[in-house]
């Protein structure tokens, strides 16, 4: 991402007192971590993580109870219990945190801190996806009840000189002994360092002040931050900054550590595969492709090079759906958006397939969004529904649309690797 103009303030990242697990009070740091809340496949993933350790962070980010209020109350009580019992403790000094993920040749490093909130039209933090209001409401209830940022958002920016500013501090810090180190079940090594030196903090702050960021992962949580900021501002007599004016983020310089972009898939609960295929006959090209899943995904990747392409499955067979009728697209896709947006697979999926042909509303009882292709297929086969698998969008398309202020259909992309949840939290109390 390019630097922003002088008419805007840039990124303002401040240190905070990190809230972290006490290693001696848990089975292992790996056993108490979790993927981000929206990556955990429910209920199987929640059950598995809960059984990994009685203090797994999933008990805070995805509490299990009958109603939203009960879930939020349970999470708040659990957090208080863990603090009282010394399972979690607050770091004594305010810090920015250097965070590294490593697996094989893949290395990603970034900075965790509390970022000043700003609306999209300020041109500082750019969203690229729409959000679902009910998810923001759900996350807001949880954050309000716990008074905590339980997991960092993933934001990207384009840094400058690798030998100066934030980049230099990150690399120098990563040469020291870490504050914590653990390897999660997926083979990813995680290391965390606290940056408490005022000169290092100042170097990071000064560097980031001239830059803008793209939300790579966490649009709903960013929207939640903004909603709760407005709530607290309306209660204030004076507009002095409060902890609610900042949100927990991981900032990754993609000039040094490019992210991977993956697709997010859809599982349609109430649409059998046969009905899904019958509804698109005549307006899309439909052809069977060979399995197993990895082979079928290769066919999807090849087809996506030539235009809109979707892989449908749910009964053990695989079907490529491609080449939509241009007249159908003209009738169903909005024309007040850039051509790059109109050509997106997610745009065609929602406007043409889900809305016009399948007539499926975008509600949780109808559509489940899943990051893992195999998990999407397995769920579709269990429920007798349809798995719609997509190919990733190129990162340059995402960035260019974000620069134009155009948001993509929700759940269009999955940037990664995502930060593990549970390594550092931020209290708002």
């Amino acid at each position: 991402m390019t630097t922003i103009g002088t008419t805007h303030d840039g990124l303002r990242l401040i240190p905070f007192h990190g809230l972290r697990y006490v290693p001696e009070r848990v089975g292992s740091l790996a056993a108490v971590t979790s993927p981000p809340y929206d990556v955990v496949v429910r209920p199987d993933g929640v059950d598995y993580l809960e059984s990994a350790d009685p203090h797994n962070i999933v008990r805070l980010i995805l509490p299990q109870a009958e109603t939203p209020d009960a879930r939020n109350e349970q999470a708040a009580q659990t957090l208080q219990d863990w603090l009282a019992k010394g399972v979690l403790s607050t770091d004594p000094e305010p810090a920015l945190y250097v965070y590294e993920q490593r697996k094989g040749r893949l290395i990603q490093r970034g900075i965790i801190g509390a970022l000043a909130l700003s609306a999209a039209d300020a041109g500082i933090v750019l969203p690229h996806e729409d959000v679902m209001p009910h998810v923001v409401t759900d996350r807001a209830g949880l954050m309000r009840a716990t008074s905590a940022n339980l997991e960092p958002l993933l934001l990207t920016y384009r840094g400058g000189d690798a030998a100066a500013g934030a980049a230099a501090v990150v690399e120098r810090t990563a040469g020291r002994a870490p504050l914590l180190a653990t390897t999660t079940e997926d083979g990813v090594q995680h290391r965390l360092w606290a940056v408490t030196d005022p000169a290092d903090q100042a170097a990071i702050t000064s560097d980031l002040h001239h830059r803008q960021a793209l939300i790579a992962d966490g649009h709903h949580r960013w929207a939640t931050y903004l909603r709760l900021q407005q709530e607290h501002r309306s209660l204030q007599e004076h507009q002095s900054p409060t902890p609610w004016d900042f949100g927990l983020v991981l900032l990754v310089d993609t000039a040094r550590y490019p992210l991977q972009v993956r697709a997010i898939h859809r599982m349609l609960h109430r649409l059998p595969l046969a009905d899904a295929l019958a509804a698109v006959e005549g307006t899309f090209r439909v052809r069977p492709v060979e399995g197993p899943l990895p082979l079928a995904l290769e066919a999807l990747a090849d087809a996506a090079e030539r235009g809109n392409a979707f892989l449908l499955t749910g009964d053990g067979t695989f079907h490529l759906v491609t080449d939509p009728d241009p007249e159908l697209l003209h009738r169903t896709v909005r024309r007040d958006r850039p051509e790059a947006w109109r050509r997106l697979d997610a745009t065609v999926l929602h406007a043409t397939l889900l809305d016009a042909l399948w007539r499926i509303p975008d509600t949780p009882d109808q559509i489940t969004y899943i990051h893992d292709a195999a998990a999407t297929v397995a769920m579709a086969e269990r429920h007798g529904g349809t798995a719609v698998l997509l190919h990733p969008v190129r990162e340059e398309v995402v960035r260019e649309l974000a620069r134009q202020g155009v948001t993509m259909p929700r759940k269009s992309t999955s940037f990664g690797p995502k930060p593990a949840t549970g390594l550092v939290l931020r209290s708002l109390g």
Side-chain angles (χ1 to χ4, degrees), residues 237-258:
E237 293 183 8
H238 306 288
Q239 295 300 308
S240 55
T242 76
W244 297 91
D245 291 311
F246 299 81
L248 185 65
V249 305
L250 166 65
L251 277 165
V252 174
D253 177 2
T254 52
R256 295 185 56 76
Y257 299 104

Side-chain angles (χ1 to χ4, degrees), residues 140 144 226-236:
R144 195 182 295 115
L226 293 173
R227 177 184 292 188
L228 294 177
Q229 178 190 43
Q230 290 303 314
E231 286 183 10
H232 283 80
R233 281 187 175 178
S234 67
L235 298 174
Q236 285 180 261

Side-chain angles (χ1 to χ4, degrees), residues 82-427:
W82 290 357
L83 288 167
K85 294 175 181 176
V87 175
L88 293 167
S89 68
T90 305
D91 284 341
E93 294 183 80
L96 298 173
Y97 296 85
V98 171
Y99 174 49
E100 177 189 272
Q101 293 158 279
R102 182 188 293 260
K103 184 177 183 180
R105 293 183 178 182
L106 173 67
I107 301 176
Q108 178 173 287
R109 290 176 182 151
I111 305 166
I112 295 176
L115 184 67
L117 305 181
S118 60
D121 58 9
I124 300 171
V125 176
L126 302 178
H128 70 268
E129 287 186 357
D130 294 331
V131 298
M132 294 176 275
H134 74 275
V135 177
V136 177
T137 298
D138 175 73
R139 291 294 101 184
L142 180 64
M143 203 177 298
R144 195 182 295 115
T146 58
S147 289
N149 297 155
L150 301 173
E151 45 187 338
L153 283 63
L154 176 60
L155 273 60
T156 73
Y157 72 100
R158 302 289 288 181
D161 185 357
V169 175
V170 167
E171 300 309 312
R172 185 168 63 250
T173 301
R176 304 199 307 254
L179 190 65
L180 65 85
T182 191
T183 301
T184 45
E185 193 176 59
D186 55 6
V188 177
Q189 297 173 319
H190 306 264
R191 297 199 296 171
L192 191 77
W193 297 261
V195 178
T196 56
D197 180 79
D200 284 344
Q201 292 180 355
I204 292 172
T205 300
S206 176
D207 187 3
L208 295 178
H209 179 69
H210 305 287
R211 309 195 185 281
Q212 67 181 170
L214 175 75
I215 301 176
D217 186 69
H219 285 81
H220 290 91
R221 283 165 285 164
W222 183 258
T224 299
Y225 289 168
L226 293 173
R227 177 184 292 188
L228 294 177
Q229 178 190 43
Q230 290 303 314
E231 286 183 10
H232 283 80
R233 281 187 175 178
S234 67
L235 298 174
Q236 285 180 261
E237 293 183 8
H238 306 288
Q239 295 300 308
S240 55
T242 76
W244 297 91
D245 291 311
F246 299 81
L248 185 65
V249 305
L250 166 65
L251 277 165
V252 174
D253 177 2
T254 52
R256 295 185 56 76
Y257 299 104
L259 268 63
Q260 300 172 329
V261 188
R262 295 188 174 93
I264 301 177
H265 311 291
R266 278 74 167 153
M267 203 293 280
L268 312 181
H269 288 266
R270 301 180 184 178
L271 182 67
L273 178 61
D275 293 349
L277 295 172
V280 301
E281 283 286 355
T283 53
F284 283 78
R285 181 188 180 197
V286 180
R287 58 187 175 94
V289 294
E290 294 292 325
L293 179 60
L295 189 62
L297 288 172
E298 289 182 13
L300 173 63
D302 290 341
E305 292 293 323
R306 298 183 292 275
N308 296 120
F310 310 93
L311 182 65
L312 272 57
T313 184
D315 64 356
T317 63
F318 298 94
H319 306 265
L320 266 181
V321 175
T322 61
D323 302 291
D325 175 53
E327 176 57 30
L328 176 65
L329 295 183
H330 183 76
R331 285 190 285 107
T332 57
V333 176
R334 293 175 56 169
R335 280 171 269 175
D336 60 347
R337 297 293 178 92
E339 185 63 23
W341 183 91
R342 290 170 51 80
R343 292 197 307 263
L344 291 171
D345 287 338
T347 297
V348 175
L349 171 60
H350 282 265
T352 306
L353 289 171
L354 290 170
D355 291 351
L357 298 182
W358 293 334
R359 302 185 182 278
I360 295 177
D362 193 357
T363 56
D365 62 316
Q366 295 275 358
I367 305 174
T368 296
Y369 293 82
I370 306 176
H371 292 71
D372 181 74
T376 311
V377 174
M379 183 177 286
E381 291 177 348
R382 277 203 310 272
H383 291 275
T386 296
V388 183
L389 307 182
L390 289 84
H391 189 66
V393 182
R394 297 194 314 278
E395 183 177 359
E396 56 266 30
V397 173
V398 177
R399 290 186 180 280
E400 183 54 37
L401 287 173
R403 287 191 184 102
Q404 296 177 47
V406 178
T407 54
M408 299 166 65
R410 48 185 168 256
K411 298 296 182 182
S412 293
T413 60
S414 175
F415 282 87
K418 303 179 190 302
T421 298
L423 296 181
V424 60
L425 291 63
R426 175 176 174 258
S427 173

